[in-house]
Amino acid sequence: MNLTNAVVTGAAGGIGRALAARLRSEGARVVLADVDETALGEAAAELGAEAVRTDVSDAAQMEALAAAPDVDLVCLNAGIVGRDLGAPWEVSPQDWDRVFAVNVGGVVNGLRAFVPRLLSAGRPAHILITASLAGLVTFPAGGAYAASKHAVVALAEQAALSLAGTPIGVTMLCPALVRTGMSPDGEDPADIADQALAAVRAGAFTVVPDGWPAAITRRAHWLATGAPPEMPAAG
């Protein structure tokens, strides 16, 4: 599909900025959204894109963002790791609230704001939701981030099932480590953006890192058979 008018949340850096850069290089009009106004302005100036400061956890701000005209790609990408990355009982109540407000609430608010407008328009469109490998396999730590990304996976599946038979497709991006503000290590965000947009155009639902499908399958087996979970590993 042709991607001509896009909205990208979490666009001031990392995967979001890489998605916006790739889309702009292909001639798409892109609206960048992020809560970091300074970094957002810098990204917009560099890419020649429109910027709308947006806190994705605020439903009213997401409704305002959804007023962008003729959108055919919505990238619900904004996310945070949180401060506490230990076991669930080691995570502060404040961290649970904030991580879920952004990572899960941001997707919910995005779906609520954009999907009715996309359905009303009746044109082919696509929603790209950034989840994480941490939402498909479970590590012993990960704090609220891991649990939030499992919730995002469920939201993406719900959206895809609910939109089946409509002109609106859904793709779920599940990267492993990516070099962003969240981590100094991992894959180049530009490579992740290319994989994500290729999946959108192909109509694929998931984008999973190389080497990890077997671990995802093993987890499903443990859940289905009652076997105790094991530490996930690539390969």
Side-chain angles (χ1 to χ4, degrees):
M1 64 179 294
N2 291 326
L3 304 174
T4 58
N5 290 284
V7 174
V8 182
T9 67
I15 295 172
R17 187 163 179 163
L19 285 166
R22 175 57 67 198
L23 289 162
R24 287 292 296 136
S25 74
E26 296 172 354
R29 173 180 176 268
V30 184
V31 177
L32 312 182
D34 204 286
V35 72
D36 185 337
E37 194 164 12
T38 300
L40 179 64
E42 292 171 353
E46 178 184 326
L47 300 177
E50 180 182 348
V52 179
R53 190 219 176 256
T54 306
D55 180 349
V56 298
S57 69
D58 187 312
Q61 291 186 36
M62 287 296 281
E63 284 288 338
L65 181 65
D70 302 323
V71 173
D72 52 28
L73 176 63
V74 180
C75 301
L76 300 178
N77 168 77
I80 59 175
V81 173
R83 297 180 179 178
D84 305 327
L85 294 177
W89 55 88
E90 297 172 336
V91 179
S92 69
Q94 295 79 10
D95 221 39
W96 278 109
D97 289 346
R98 181 57 182 159
V99 171
F100 266 71
V102 174
N103 294 0
V104 181
V107 174
V108 171
N109 291 335
L111 294 173
R112 286 171 56 88
F114 282 95
V115 169
R117 289 172 168 86
L118 296 176
L119 289 172
S120 178
R123 299 187 303 271
H126 211 90
I127 301 169
L128 174 64
I129 298 173
T130 302
S132 171
L133 177 66
L136 296 175
V137 296
T138 305
F139 297 90
Y145 177 81
S148 75
K149 289 301 183 177
H150 278 274
V152 171
V153 168
L155 284 169
E157 289 181 289
Q158 285 180 290
L161 289 167
S162 297
L163 290 169
T166 76
I168 305 169
V170 179
T171 293
M172 179 177 68
L173 176 62
C174 296
L177 281 177
V178 182
R179 293 197 303 274
T180 68
M182 296 182 183
S183 170
D185 303 312
E187 292 190 69
D188 187 330
D191 293 338
I192 300 299
D194 287 344
Q195 294 168 25
L197 294 176
V200 167
R201 291 189 170 97
F205 176 61
T206 53
V207 184
V208 176
D210 290 342
W212 284 96
I216 297 166
T217 301
R218 288 193 296 271
R219 175 178 182 262
H221 175 74
W222 303 329
L223 293 174
T225 63
E230 299 175 10
M231 179 71 77

